[in-house]
Amino acid sequence: MTNNLNLMQSSTIEDHKDLGVRGCAENLGIGYSTLTKWLKDFRESGDIPVRGSGNYASDEQKEIARLRRELRDAQDALDVLKKAINILGK
């Protein structure tokens, strides 16, 4: 099960009818529209699809993200080396 589903189950709206959906969203620290979307998704499919930070649709997407980070780091290191050569070469 997803973390969102666990979050919703640990603090169900049924347990806090006096708060309503908006109050439950505030207690959970999430937006009202987020909670209503999760509820709708859960009612339709019995699960909540999640693609948050660090959650990739496939292993291929995860590998692409890793390679992009690696490329960015290598380009940053190259820029530093170029600046150092410029400074030391003068």
Side-chain angles (χ1 to χ4, degrees):
M1 289 191 171
T2 64
N3 288 337
N4 295 344
L5 182 57
N6 292 337
L7 181 65
M8 283 179 48
Q9 287 176 336
S10 69
S11 179
T12 64
I13 292 171
E14 295 298 319
D15 294 339
H16 302 284
K17 287 182 182 183
D18 56 316
L19 291 176
V21 176
R22 192 169 303 278
C24 287
E26 288 176 16
N27 280 355
L28 293 169
I30 59 175
Y32 170 77
S33 61
T34 301
L35 183 56
T36 55
K37 181 177 179 345
W38 289 353
L39 288 168
K40 179 181 173 265
D41 292 345
F42 182 71
R43 285 184 190 120
E44 290 174 358
S45 67
D47 197 9
I48 302 168
V50 176
R51 289 207 32 218
S53 177
N55 295 325
Y56 299 96
S58 67
D59 288 339
E60 184 179 278
Q61 291 296 320
K62 186 176 182 178
E63 178 70 6
I64 290 169
R66 184 191 67 77
L67 291 170
R68 284 185 176 152
R69 280 191 309 274
E70 192 175 310
L71 176 60
R72 183 195 64 224
D73 292 345
Q75 287 172 332
D76 290 346
L78 181 60
D79 289 343
V80 169
L81 288 174
K82 285 179 181 177
K83 289 176 185 177
I85 289 172
N86 242 356
I87 291 170
L88 296 173
K90 290 183 178 181

Coordinates of all heavy atoms in Angstrom, one line a residue:
M1 N 0.8 -1.2 0.0 CA 0.0 0.0 0.0 C 0.9 1.2 0.0 O 2.0 1.2 0.5 CB -0.9 0.0 1.2 CG -2.0 -1.0 1.2 SD -3.1 -0.7 2.6 CE -4.3 -1.8 2.1
T2 N 0.3 2.3 -0.5 CA 1.1 3.5 -0.6 C 1.1 4.3 0.7 O 0.3 4.0 1.6 CB 0.5 4.4 -1.7 OG1 -0.8 4.8 -1.2 CG2 0.4 3.8 -3.0
N3 N 2.1 5.2 0.9 CA 2.1 6.0 2.1 C 0.9 6.8 2.3 O 0.4 7.0 3.4 CB 3.4 6.9 2.1 CG 4.6 6.1 2.3 OD1 4.6 5.0 2.8 ND2 5.7 6.6 1.8
N4 N 0.3 7.3 1.1 CA -0.9 8.2 1.2 C -2.0 7.4 1.7 O -2.8 7.9 2.5 CB -1.2 8.7 -0.2 CG -0.2 9.7 -0.7 OD1 0.7 10.1 0.1 ND2 -0.2 9.9 -1.9
L5 N -2.2 6.1 1.3 CA -3.2 5.3 1.8 C -3.1 5.0 3.3 O -4.1 5.1 4.0 CB -3.3 4.0 1.0 CG -4.4 3.0 1.3 CD1 -5.7 3.6 1.1 CD2 -4.2 1.8 0.4
N6 N -1.9 4.7 3.7 CA -1.6 4.5 5.1 C -1.9 5.7 5.9 O -2.5 5.7 7.0 CB -0.2 4.1 5.4 CG 0.2 2.7 4.8 OD1 -0.7 1.9 4.6 ND2 1.4 2.5 4.5
L7 N -1.6 6.9 5.4 CA -1.9 8.2 6.1 C -3.4 8.3 6.2 O -3.9 8.7 7.3 CB -1.3 9.3 5.3 CG -1.5 10.7 5.8 CD1 -0.7 10.9 7.2 CD2 -1.0 11.8 4.8
M8 N -4.1 8.1 5.2 CA -5.6 8.2 5.2 C -6.2 7.2 6.2 O -7.1 7.5 6.9 CB -6.2 8.1 3.8 CG -6.0 9.3 3.0 SD -6.7 9.1 1.3 CE -8.3 8.5 1.6
Q9 N -5.7 6.0 6.2 CA -6.3 5.0 7.0 C -6.0 5.2 8.5 O -6.8 4.9 9.4 CB -5.7 3.6 6.6 CG -6.3 3.1 5.4 CD -5.7 1.8 4.9 OE1 -4.6 1.4 5.3 NE2 -6.5 1.0 4.1
S10 N -4.8 5.8 8.8 CA -4.5 6.1 10.2 C -5.3 7.2 10.8 O -5.5 7.4 12.0 CB -3.0 6.4 10.3 OG -2.7 7.7 9.7
S11 N -5.9 8.1 9.9 CA -6.7 9.2 10.4 C -7.9 9.3 9.4 O -7.9 10.2 8.6 CB -5.9 10.5 10.4 OG -6.7 11.5 10.8
T12 N -8.8 8.4 9.5 CA -9.9 8.3 8.5 C -10.9 9.4 8.8 O -11.1 9.9 9.9 CB -10.6 7.0 8.5 OG1 -11.2 6.8 9.8 CG2 -9.7 5.8 8.2
I13 N -11.5 9.8 7.8 CA -12.5 10.9 7.9 C -13.7 10.3 8.7 O -14.4 11.1 9.4 CB -13.0 11.3 6.4 CG1 -11.8 12.0 5.8 CG2 -14.2 12.2 6.5 CD1 -11.9 12.4 4.4
E14 N -14.0 9.0 8.6 CA -15.0 8.4 9.4 C -14.8 8.6 10.9 O -15.8 8.8 11.6 CB -15.2 6.9 9.0 CG -15.6 6.7 7.6 CD -17.0 7.2 7.3 OE1 -17.9 7.1 8.1 OE2 -17.1 7.8 6.2
D15 N -13.6 8.6 11.3 CA -13.2 8.7 12.7 C -13.4 10.2 13.1 O -13.4 10.5 14.3 CB -11.8 8.3 13.0 CG -11.6 6.8 12.8 OD1 -12.6 6.1 12.8 OD2 -10.5 6.4 12.6
H16 N -13.4 11.1 12.2 CA -13.4 12.6 12.5 C -14.5 13.3 11.7 O -14.2 14.3 11.1 CB -12.0 13.2 12.2 CG -10.9 12.5 13.0 ND1 -10.7 12.7 14.3 CD2 -10.0 11.6 12.5 CE1 -9.6 12.0 14.7 NE2 -9.2 11.3 13.6
K17 N -15.7 12.7 11.8 CA -16.8 13.3 11.1 C -17.0 14.8 11.5 O -17.5 15.6 10.7 CB -18.1 12.5 11.2 CG -18.0 11.2 10.5 CD -19.3 10.5 10.7 CE -19.2 9.1 9.9 NZ -20.5 8.4 10.0
D18 N -16.7 15.1 12.7 CA -17.0 16.5 13.2 C -16.0 17.5 12.5 O -16.4 18.6 12.4 CB -16.8 16.5 14.7 CG -15.4 16.0 15.2 OD1 -15.0 15.0 14.7 OD2 -14.8 16.7 16.0
L19 N -14.9 17.0 12.0 CA -14.0 17.9 11.3 C -14.3 18.1 9.9 O -14.0 19.2 9.3 CB -12.5 17.3 11.4 CG -11.9 17.3 12.7 CD1 -10.5 16.6 12.6 CD2 -11.7 18.7 13.3
G20 N -14.9 17.1 9.2 CA -15.1 17.2 7.8 C -13.9 17.0 7.0 O -12.8 16.8 7.6
V21 N -14.0 17.0 5.7 CA -12.8 16.7 4.9 C -11.8 17.8 5.0 O -10.6 17.6 5.1 CB -13.3 16.6 3.4 CG1 -12.1 16.4 2.5 CG2 -14.2 15.4 3.2
R22 N -12.2 19.1 5.0 CA -11.3 20.2 5.1 C -10.5 20.1 6.5 O -9.3 20.3 6.5 CB -12.1 21.5 5.0 CG -11.1 22.7 4.9 CD -11.9 24.0 4.5 NE -12.7 23.9 3.3 CZ -12.2 24.0 2.1 NH1 -11.0 24.2 1.9 NH2 -13.1 23.9 1.0
G23 N -11.2 19.9 7.6 CA -10.5 19.8 8.8 C -9.5 18.6 8.9 O -8.4 18.7 9.4
C24 N -9.9 17.5 8.3 CA -9.0 16.3 8.2 C -7.7 16.7 7.4 O -6.6 16.3 7.8 CB -9.7 15.1 7.7 SG -10.9 14.4 8.8
A25 N -8.0 17.4 6.3 CA -6.8 17.8 5.4 C -5.9 18.6 6.2 O -4.6 18.5 6.2 CB -7.3 18.5 4.2
E26 N -6.4 19.6 7.0 CA -5.6 20.5 7.8 C -4.8 19.6 8.9 O -3.6 19.9 9.1 CB -6.4 21.5 8.5 CG -6.9 22.6 7.5 CD -7.8 23.6 8.2 OE1 -7.9 23.7 9.4 OE2 -8.5 24.3 7.4
N27 N -5.5 18.7 9.5 CA -4.8 17.9 10.5 C -3.7 17.0 9.9 O -2.7 16.8 10.6 CB -5.8 16.9 11.2 CG -6.6 17.6 12.3 OD1 -6.4 18.8 12.6 ND2 -7.6 16.9 12.8
L28 N -3.9 16.6 8.7 CA -2.9 15.8 8.0 C -1.8 16.6 7.4 O -0.7 16.1 7.0 CB -3.5 14.9 6.9 CG -4.5 13.8 7.4 CD1 -5.2 13.2 6.2 CD2 -3.7 12.7 8.2
G29 N -2.0 17.9 7.4 CA -1.0 18.8 6.8 C -0.9 18.8 5.3 O 0.1 18.9 4.7
I30 N -2.1 18.5 4.6 CA -2.1 18.4 3.2 C -3.3 19.3 2.7 O -4.1 19.8 3.5 CB -2.4 17.0 2.7 CG1 -3.7 16.4 3.2 CG2 -1.2 16.1 3.0 CD1 -4.1 15.0 2.7
G31 N -3.3 19.6 1.4 CA -4.3 20.5 0.9 C -5.6 19.8 0.8 O -5.7 18.6 0.6
Y32 N -6.7 20.6 0.9 CA -8.1 20.0 0.8 C -8.3 19.3 -0.6 O -8.8 18.2 -0.6 CB -9.1 21.2 0.9 CG -10.5 20.8 0.6 CD1 -11.3 20.1 1.5 CD2 -11.1 21.2 -0.6 CE1 -12.6 19.8 1.2 CE2 -12.4 20.9 -0.9 CZ -13.1 20.1 0.0 OH -14.4 19.8 -0.3
S33 N -7.8 20.0 -1.7 CA -8.0 19.4 -3.0 C -7.2 18.1 -3.1 O -7.6 17.1 -3.8 CB -7.6 20.3 -4.1 OG -6.2 20.7 -4.0
T34 N -6.0 18.0 -2.5 CA -5.3 16.7 -2.5 C -6.0 15.6 -1.8 O -6.1 14.5 -2.4 CB -3.9 16.9 -1.8 OG1 -3.2 18.0 -2.4 CG2 -3.1 15.6 -1.8
L35 N -6.6 15.9 -0.7 CA -7.3 14.9 0.1 C -8.6 14.4 -0.7 O -8.9 13.3 -0.8 CB -7.7 15.3 1.5 CG -8.4 14.3 2.4 CD1 -7.6 13.0 2.5 CD2 -8.7 14.9 3.7
T36 N -9.3 15.4 -1.3 CA -10.5 15.0 -2.0 C -10.1 14.2 -3.2 O -10.8 13.2 -3.6 CB -11.3 16.2 -2.4 OG1 -10.5 17.1 -3.2 CG2 -11.9 16.9 -1.2
K37 N -9.0 14.5 -3.9 CA -8.5 13.7 -5.0 C -8.2 12.3 -4.6 O -8.6 11.3 -5.2 CB -7.4 14.3 -5.7 CG -6.9 13.5 -7.0 CD -5.8 14.1 -7.7 CE -5.3 13.3 -8.9 NZ -5.7 12.0 -9.0
W38 N -7.5 12.1 -3.5 CA -7.1 10.8 -2.9 C -8.4 10.0 -2.6 O -8.5 8.8 -2.9 CB -6.3 11.0 -1.7 CG -4.9 11.4 -1.9 CD1 -4.2 11.6 -3.1 CD2 -3.9 11.8 -0.9 NE1 -3.0 12.1 -2.8 CE2 -2.8 12.2 -1.5 CE3 -4.0 11.8 0.5 CZ2 -1.6 12.6 -0.8 CZ3 -2.9 12.2 1.2 CH2 -1.7 12.6 0.6
L39 N -9.4 10.7 -2.0 CA -10.6 10.0 -1.7 C -11.3 9.5 -2.9 O -11.8 8.4 -3.0 CB -11.5 10.9 -0.9 CG -11.1 11.2 0.6 CD1 -11.9 12.4 1.2 CD2 -11.2 10.0 1.4
K40 N -11.4 10.4 -3.9 CA -12.0 10.0 -5.2 C -11.3 8.8 -5.8 O -11.9 7.8 -6.2 CB -12.0 11.2 -6.1 CG -12.6 10.9 -7.5 CD -12.5 12.1 -8.4 CE -13.0 11.9 -9.8 NZ -11.9 11.5 -10.7
D41 N -9.9 8.9 -5.9 CA -9.1 7.8 -6.4 C -9.4 6.5 -5.7 O -9.5 5.4 -6.2 CB -7.7 8.1 -6.5 CG -7.3 9.2 -7.4 OD1 -8.1 9.5 -8.3 OD2 -6.2 9.8 -7.3
F42 N -9.4 6.6 -4.3 CA -9.6 5.4 -3.5 C -11.0 4.8 -3.7 O -11.1 3.6 -3.8 CB -9.4 5.8 -2.0 CG -9.5 4.6 -1.1 CD1 -8.5 3.6 -1.1 CD2 -10.6 4.5 -0.3 CE1 -8.6 2.5 -0.3 CE2 -10.7 3.4 0.6 CZ -9.7 2.4 0.6
R43 N -12.0 5.6 -3.8 CA -13.3 5.1 -4.0 C -13.5 4.4 -5.4 O -14.2 3.4 -5.5 CB -14.4 6.2 -3.9 CG -14.6 6.7 -2.5 CD -15.7 7.7 -2.4 NE -15.7 8.3 -1.1 CZ -15.5 9.6 -0.8 NH1 -15.3 10.5 -1.8 NH2 -15.6 10.0 0.4
E44 N -12.7 4.9 -6.4 CA -12.8 4.4 -7.7 C -12.0 3.1 -7.9 O -12.4 2.2 -8.6 CB -12.4 5.4 -8.8 CG -13.4 6.5 -8.9 CD -12.9 7.6 -9.8 OE1 -11.8 7.5 -10.3 OE2 -13.6 8.6 -10.0
S45 N -10.8 3.1 -7.3 CA -9.9 1.9 -7.6 C -9.5 1.1 -6.3 O -8.9 0.1 -6.5 CB -8.7 2.4 -8.3 OG -7.9 3.2 -7.4
G46 N -9.8 1.7 -5.2 CA -9.3 1.0 -3.9 C -7.9 1.2 -3.6 O -7.3 0.7 -2.7
D47 N -7.2 2.1 -4.4 CA -5.8 2.5 -4.1 C -5.6 3.9 -4.5 O -6.4 4.5 -5.2 CB -4.9 1.5 -4.9 CG -3.5 1.6 -4.4 OD1 -3.2 2.2 -3.3 OD2 -2.6 1.0 -5.1
I48 N -4.5 4.4 -4.1 CA -4.2 5.8 -4.4 C -2.9 5.8 -5.2 O -1.8 5.5 -4.7 CB -4.0 6.7 -3.2 CG1 -5.2 6.6 -2.4 CG2 -3.6 8.1 -3.5 CD1 -5.1 7.2 -1.0
P49 N -2.9 6.2 -6.5 CA -1.6 6.2 -7.3 C -0.7 7.3 -6.8 O -1.2 8.4 -6.5 CB -2.1 6.5 -8.7 CG -3.5 7.0 -8.6 CD -4.0 6.6 -7.3
V50 N 0.5 7.0 -6.6 CA 1.5 8.0 -6.1 C 2.7 8.1 -7.0 O 3.3 7.1 -7.4 CB 2.0 7.5 -4.7 CG1 3.0 8.5 -4.1 CG2 0.8 7.4 -3.7
R51 N 3.0 9.4 -7.3 CA 4.3 9.6 -8.0 C 4.8 10.9 -7.4 O 4.8 12.0 -8.0 CB 4.0 9.8 -9.5 CG 3.7 8.5 -10.1 CD 4.1 8.3 -11.5 NE 5.2 9.1 -12.0 CZ 5.3 9.6 -13.2 NH1 4.3 9.6 -14.0 NH2 6.4 10.2 -13.5
G52 N 5.3 10.8 -6.1 CA 5.9 12.0 -5.5 C 7.3 12.1 -5.7 O 7.9 11.4 -6.6
S53 N 8.0 12.9 -4.9 CA 9.4 13.1 -5.1 C 10.2 11.7 -4.9 O 10.0 11.1 -3.9 CB 9.9 14.1 -4.0 OG 11.3 14.2 -4.1
G54 N 11.0 11.4 -5.9 CA 11.8 10.2 -5.8 C 11.0 8.9 -6.2 O 11.6 7.8 -6.2
N55 N 9.8 9.0 -6.5 CA 9.0 7.9 -6.9 C 8.9 7.9 -8.5 O 8.3 8.8 -9.0 CB 7.6 7.9 -6.4 CG 7.6 7.7 -4.9 OD1 8.4 7.0 -4.3 ND2 6.7 8.3 -4.2
Y56 N 9.5 6.9 -9.1 CA 9.6 7.0 -10.6 C 8.6 5.9 -11.2 O 8.3 4.9 -10.5 CB 11.0 6.7 -11.0 CG 12.0 7.7 -10.5 CD1 12.7 7.5 -9.4 CD2 12.1 8.9 -11.2 CE1 13.6 8.5 -8.9 CE2 12.9 9.9 -10.7 CZ 13.7 9.7 -9.6 OH 14.5 10.7 -9.2
A57 N 8.1 6.2 -12.4 CA 7.2 5.4 -13.0 C 7.8 4.0 -13.4 O 7.1 3.0 -13.5 CB 6.6 6.1 -14.3
S58 N 9.1 4.0 -13.6 CA 9.7 2.8 -14.0 C 11.2 2.8 -13.6 O 11.7 3.9 -13.3 CB 9.6 2.6 -15.5 OG 10.4 3.6 -16.2
D59 N 11.9 1.7 -13.7 CA 13.3 1.7 -13.4 C 14.1 2.5 -14.4 O 15.1 3.1 -14.1 CB 13.8 0.2 -13.4 CG 13.3 -0.6 -12.2 OD1 13.0 0.0 -11.2 OD2 13.3 -1.8 -12.3
E60 N 13.6 2.5 -15.7 CA 14.2 3.3 -16.7 C 14.2 4.8 -16.3 O 15.2 5.5 -16.5 CB 13.5 3.1 -18.0 CG 14.1 3.8 -19.2 CD 13.4 3.5 -20.5 OE1 13.6 2.4 -21.1 OE2 12.5 4.3 -20.9
Q61 N 13.0 5.3 -15.8 CA 12.9 6.7 -15.4 C 13.9 7.0 -14.3 O 14.5 8.1 -14.2 CB 11.5 7.1 -15.1 CG 10.6 7.1 -16.2 CD 10.9 8.2 -17.2 OE1 11.3 9.3 -16.9 NE2 10.8 7.8 -18.5
K62 N 14.0 6.1 -13.4 CA 14.9 6.2 -12.2 C 16.3 6.3 -12.7 O 17.1 7.2 -12.2 CB 14.7 5.0 -11.3 CG 15.5 5.2 -10.0 CD 15.2 4.0 -9.1 CE 15.9 4.1 -7.8 NZ 15.6 3.0 -6.8
E63 N 16.7 5.5 -13.7 CA 18.1 5.5 -14.2 C 18.3 6.8 -15.0 O 19.4 7.4 -14.8 CB 18.3 4.3 -15.1 CG 19.6 4.2 -15.8 CD 20.8 3.9 -14.9 OE1 20.5 3.6 -13.7 OE2 21.9 3.9 -15.3
I64 N 17.4 7.3 -15.7 CA 17.5 8.5 -16.4 C 17.8 9.7 -15.4 O 18.6 10.5 -15.7 CB 16.3 8.8 -17.3 CG1 16.3 7.8 -18.5 CG2 16.3 10.3 -17.8 CD1 15.0 7.9 -19.3
A65 N 17.0 9.7 -14.4 CA 17.2 10.7 -13.3 C 18.6 10.6 -12.7 O 19.2 11.7 -12.5 CB 16.1 10.6 -12.3
R66 N 19.0 9.4 -12.4 CA 20.4 9.2 -11.9 C 21.5 9.7 -12.8 O 22.4 10.4 -12.4 CB 20.6 7.8 -11.5 CG 22.0 7.5 -10.8 CD 22.3 6.1 -10.7 NE 22.6 5.4 -12.0 CZ 23.7 5.6 -12.7 NH1 24.7 6.3 -12.2 NH2 23.9 5.0 -13.9
L67 N 21.3 9.4 -14.1 CA 22.3 9.8 -15.1 C 22.3 11.3 -15.3 O 23.3 11.9 -15.5 CB 22.0 9.1 -16.4 CG 22.3 7.6 -16.5 CD1 21.8 7.0 -17.7 CD2 23.8 7.4 -16.3
R68 N 21.1 11.9 -15.2 CA 21.1 13.4 -15.3 C 21.8 14.1 -14.1 O 22.5 15.1 -14.3 CB 19.6 13.9 -15.4 CG 19.0 13.6 -16.7 CD 17.6 14.2 -16.8 NE 17.1 14.0 -18.2 CZ 15.8 13.9 -18.4 NH1 14.9 13.9 -17.5 NH2 15.4 13.7 -19.7
R69 N 21.6 13.5 -12.9 CA 22.3 14.1 -11.8 C 23.8 13.9 -11.9 O 24.5 14.8 -11.6 CB 21.8 13.4 -10.5 CG 20.5 13.9 -9.9 CD 20.2 13.3 -8.5 NE 20.3 11.9 -8.4 CZ 19.4 11.0 -8.7 NH1 18.2 11.4 -9.1 NH2 19.6 9.7 -8.5
E70 N 24.2 12.7 -12.4 CA 25.6 12.5 -12.6 C 26.2 13.4 -13.6 O 27.3 13.9 -13.4 CB 25.8 11.0 -13.0 CG 27.2 10.5 -13.0 CD 27.3 9.0 -13.3 OE1 26.5 8.3 -12.7 OE2 28.1 8.7 -14.2
L71 N 25.5 13.6 -14.7 CA 26.0 14.6 -15.7 C 26.1 16.0 -15.2 O 27.1 16.7 -15.4 CB 25.0 14.5 -16.9 CG 25.3 15.5 -18.1 CD1 26.7 15.3 -18.6 CD2 24.3 15.4 -19.2
R72 N 25.0 16.4 -14.5 CA 25.1 17.7 -13.9 C 26.3 17.9 -12.9 O 27.0 18.9 -13.0 CB 23.8 18.0 -13.1 CG 23.7 19.4 -12.5 CD 22.6 19.5 -11.5 NE 22.9 18.7 -10.4 CZ 22.0 17.9 -9.7 NH1 20.8 17.8 -10.1 NH2 22.4 17.1 -8.7
D73 N 26.5 16.9 -12.1 CA 27.7 17.0 -11.2 C 29.0 17.0 -11.9 O 29.9 17.8 -11.6 CB 27.6 15.8 -10.2 CG 26.5 15.8 -9.2 OD1 25.8 16.9 -9.1 OD2 26.2 14.8 -8.6
A74 N 29.1 16.2 -13.0 CA 30.3 16.2 -13.8 C 30.5 17.6 -14.5 O 31.7 18.1 -14.5 CB 30.3 15.1 -14.8
Q75 N 29.5 18.2 -15.0 CA 29.6 19.5 -15.6 C 30.0 20.6 -14.6 O 30.8 21.4 -14.9 CB 28.2 19.9 -16.3 CG 28.0 19.1 -17.5 CD 26.6 19.3 -18.1 OE1 25.6 19.6 -17.4 NE2 26.4 19.1 -19.4
D76 N 29.4 20.5 -13.4 CA 29.8 21.4 -12.3 C 31.3 21.3 -12.0 O 32.0 22.3 -11.8 CB 29.0 21.2 -11.1 CG 27.5 21.6 -11.2 OD1 27.2 22.3 -12.2 OD2 26.7 21.2 -10.4
A77 N 31.8 20.0 -11.9 CA 33.2 19.8 -11.6 C 34.1 20.3 -12.7 O 35.1 20.9 -12.5 CB 33.4 18.3 -11.4
L78 N 33.6 20.1 -14.0 CA 34.4 20.6 -15.1 C 34.5 22.2 -15.1 O 35.5 22.7 -15.3 CB 33.8 20.1 -16.4 CG 34.5 20.6 -17.7 CD1 35.9 20.0 -17.7 CD2 33.7 20.0 -18.9
D79 N 33.4 22.8 -14.7 CA 33.4 24.3 -14.7 C 34.3 24.8 -13.6 O 35.1 25.8 -13.8 CB 32.0 24.8 -14.3 CG 31.0 24.6 -15.5 OD1 31.5 24.5 -16.7 OD2 29.8 24.7 -15.3
V80 N 34.4 24.1 -12.5 CA 35.3 24.5 -11.4 C 36.8 24.3 -11.9 O 37.6 25.2 -11.6 CB 35.1 23.6 -10.1 CG1 36.2 23.8 -9.1 CG2 33.7 24.0 -9.5
L81 N 37.0 23.2 -12.5 CA 38.4 23.0 -13.0 C 38.8 24.0 -14.1 O 40.0 24.5 -14.1 CB 38.5 21.6 -13.6 CG 38.5 20.4 -12.6 CD1 38.5 19.1 -13.3 CD2 39.7 20.5 -11.7
K82 N 37.9 24.4 -14.9 CA 38.2 25.4 -15.9 C 38.5 26.7 -15.3 O 39.5 27.4 -15.7 CB 37.0 25.6 -16.9 CG 36.8 24.5 -17.9 CD 35.6 24.8 -18.8 CE 35.4 23.7 -19.8 NZ 34.2 23.9 -20.6
K83 N 37.8 27.1 -14.2 CA 38.0 28.3 -13.5 C 39.4 28.3 -12.8 O 40.1 29.2 -12.8 CB 36.9 28.6 -12.5 CG 35.6 29.0 -13.2 CD 34.5 29.2 -12.2 CE 33.2 29.5 -12.9 NZ 32.1 29.7 -12.0
A84 N 39.7 27.1 -12.2 CA 41.0 26.9 -11.5 C 42.1 27.1 -12.5 O 43.2 27.7 -12.2 CB 41.0 25.6 -10.8
I85 N 42.0 26.5 -13.7 CA 43.1 26.6 -14.7 C 43.2 28.0 -15.2 O 44.4 28.5 -15.4 CB 42.7 25.7 -15.9 CG1 42.9 24.2 -15.5 CG2 43.6 26.0 -17.1 CD1 42.4 23.2 -16.5
N86 N 42.1 28.7 -15.3 CA 42.2 30.1 -15.7 C 42.9 30.9 -14.6 O 43.8 31.8 -15.0 CB 40.7 30.7 -15.8 CG 40.4 31.1 -17.2 OD1 41.3 31.2 -18.1 ND2 39.2 31.6 -17.4
I87 N 42.6 30.7 -13.4 CA 43.3 31.5 -12.3 C 44.7 31.1 -12.2 O 45.6 32.0 -12.1 CB 42.6 31.2 -10.9 CG1 41.1 31.8 -11.0 CG2 43.3 31.7 -9.8 CD1 40.3 31.4 -9.8
L88 N 45.1 29.8 -12.2 CA 46.5 29.4 -12.1 C 47.3 29.7 -13.3 O 48.5 29.8 -13.2 CB 46.5 27.9 -11.8 CG 45.9 27.5 -10.4 CD1 45.9 26.0 -10.3 CD2 46.7 28.1 -9.3
G89 N 46.7 29.8 -14.5 CA 47.4 30.0 -15.7 C 47.8 31.4 -15.9 O 48.6 31.7 -16.8
K90 N 47.3 32.3 -15.1 CA 47.7 33.7 -15.2 C 48.9 34.1 -14.6 O 49.5 33.6 -13.7 CB 46.5 34.6 -14.7 CG 45.3 34.6 -15.6 CD 44.2 35.5 -15.1 CE 43.1 35.4 -16.0 NZ 42.0 36.3 -15.6

